[in-house]
Amino acid sequence: MPSVFQPDFHLPRAAAAPAPVSRADTQDYFTEVATDYRAWSPSYNMHFGYWRAGLNPLRRESMLVQMNREVGRALRLGERPTEDGRRCVLDLGCGAGATARTLVGDDPRLYAVTVTNVPVQNRIAERLDARAGVADRMAHIEADYTRTGLPAAQADGAWALESACYAEGTAKADFAREAARLLRPGARLVVVDGFLLRREPGRLARWLHRLWADSWAVPTLAVRDEFTAALREHGFEDIEVRSLRWRVAPSALHIPALATRFTLAELWKARGSLSPWRRKHIVASYCALALGLFWRDFDYCMVSATRRAS
């Protein structure tokens, strides 16, 4: 019986450069593991949760929904009134649209457009929208979020919740450029993700980052300071960086038991054989928790910024 972990846990030789992760790899990964995310969240919240006082840390779904609401709060939509009270927001790299569904469900005057290049995620999102009663205020488009084709300066807010990392490079400049193009002057961008704190982490941390990234089809995490510099370069100001390390820790601690139970159940159903991307998905789940132990090299942050008027 093949091991779930064997293909991934060999330290690479120093001279061997890993093949870069391509957009096709990312699409293949998310297509193949689309329904596996349901084990983490029945509502397809494909991110860590946000713990606050009053939430039960044993109830993962409530923390996942709270993260959606923290993103909504950081958009500060109430600070920019409109004539009819309606606003349109963008989810850049939406997965199955869970964050947009939460925010639209909370505010009857809010409309959302979500962007993903994985068709199966949009099909899942449409089913969940109908179930939540918000399908008339949600639109899901299939596109690359660095080249959406959407009209410029029309969005009242935008976010990327654990999705900006899929853009190229350590500055994610293409992502920052397109977000700036899409937002109205004065509108907010919110990015929640893991970040490298330095370009060259220690050897073990560097290997762990590469293993995690390859397993979840991520080109690389952004370097935090390079990312904020790219935001400034492409027209953002009032940039705020907030570490959420301790806020996401309670949900991250759900990983070992859940991933182990999921692995055993899926191996049993598949008679001991899982496809390569499904095996890597499991490996990355454990790696995500381990990365949080390298405080000098990684952090999980909310970065928010305002689109400059000119």
Side-chain angles (χ1 to χ4, degrees):
M1 182 177 74
S3 166
V4 171
F5 304 108
Q6 198 211 340
D8 305 287
F9 268 86
H10 295 293
L11 277 167
R13 295 180 180 179
V21 174
S22 68
R23 284 189 172 88
D25 290 331
T26 301
Q27 287 179 295
D28 289 345
Y29 161 72
F30 276 111
T31 299
E32 193 162 317
V33 306
T35 58
D36 288 353
Y37 276 96
R38 188 168 50 195
W40 177 254
S41 168
S43 300
Y44 281 86
N45 287 288
M46 297 162 62
H47 52 261
F48 285 116
Y50 183 101
W51 180 86
R52 60 166 175 77
L55 290 182
N56 185 341
L58 300 179
R59 295 186 178 275
R60 184 171 59 254
E61 192 72 13
S62 62
M63 293 188 288
L64 301 179
V65 172
Q66 185 63 37
M67 179 65 84
N68 297 336
R69 291 181 171 136
E70 292 299 320
V71 168
R73 185 173 292 112
L75 291 173
R76 302 178 188 170
L77 295 173
E79 296 180 4
R80 298 182 304 282
T82 60
E83 289 185 9
D84 60 3
R86 297 182 180 183
R87 300 180 183 85
C88 183
V89 292
L90 296 177
D91 187 337
L92 301 174
C94 62
T99 304
R101 221 167 7 257
T102 296
L103 300 185
V104 167
D106 287 348
D107 184 349
R109 298 171 300 174
L110 192 64
Y111 293 76
V113 177
T114 76
V115 182
T116 178
N117 60 2
V118 184
V120 67
Q121 291 182 334
N122 281 340
R123 292 196 292 272
I124 293 169
E126 288 166 359
R127 292 197 300 270
L128 295 173
D129 293 349
R131 191 180 306 167
V134 296
D136 60 331
R137 292 184 287 123
M138 297 274 285
H140 305 288
I141 68 168
E142 182 185 339
D144 178 344
Y145 64 19
T146 65
R147 300 188 298 272
T148 63
L150 293 169
Q154 296 298 305
D156 297 296
W159 67 86
L161 180 45
E162 295 187 18
S163 59
C165 57
Y166 285 95
E168 297 294 329
T170 51
K172 311 300 180 186
D174 289 346
F175 168 85
R177 182 185 301 111
E178 180 68 353
R181 187 186 73 83
L182 294 169
L183 286 169
R184 299 179 189 272
R188 297 281 288 174
L189 171 68
V190 178
V191 175
V192 178
D193 219 326
F195 288 88
L196 294 167
L197 299 182
R198 48 183 179 167
R199 180 178 277 272
E200 292 296 333
R203 182 173 182 269
L204 181 57
R206 184 168 63 249
W207 168 76
L208 186 61
H209 167 252
R210 192 67 262 154
L211 172 61
W212 168 84
D214 290 343
S215 298
W216 261 344
V218 175
T220 177
L221 286 176
V223 175
R224 188 183 61 191
D225 292 346
E226 293 182 20
F227 180 66
T228 56
L231 292 177
R232 291 189 188 91
E233 180 182 349
H234 291 291
F236 287 96
E237 61 186 5
D238 300 328
I239 298 171
E240 300 176 8
V241 179
R242 178 185 171 201
S243 175
L244 302 183
R245 186 193 305 274
W246 294 109
R247 295 292 185 177
V248 301
S251 64
L253 290 174
H254 285 239
I255 290 174
L258 177 68
T260 301
R261 186 170 64 248
F262 175 82
T263 301
L264 294 174
E266 294 304 306
L267 283 171
W268 177 265
K269 286 191 288 187
R271 297 185 179 182
S273 177
L274 296 179
S275 65
W277 278 122
R278 295 191 76 202
R279 294 199 302 270
K280 290 182 177 183
H281 176 66
I282 294 165
V283 170
S285 299
Y286 290 104
C287 289
L289 181 60
L291 280 172
L293 301 177
F294 291 84
W295 289 15
R296 293 181 57 198
D297 298 299
F298 303 99
D299 200 0
Y300 188 95
C301 300
M302 175 184 284
V303 179
S304 55
T306 302
R307 182 68 172 95
R308 281 199 300 266
S310 60

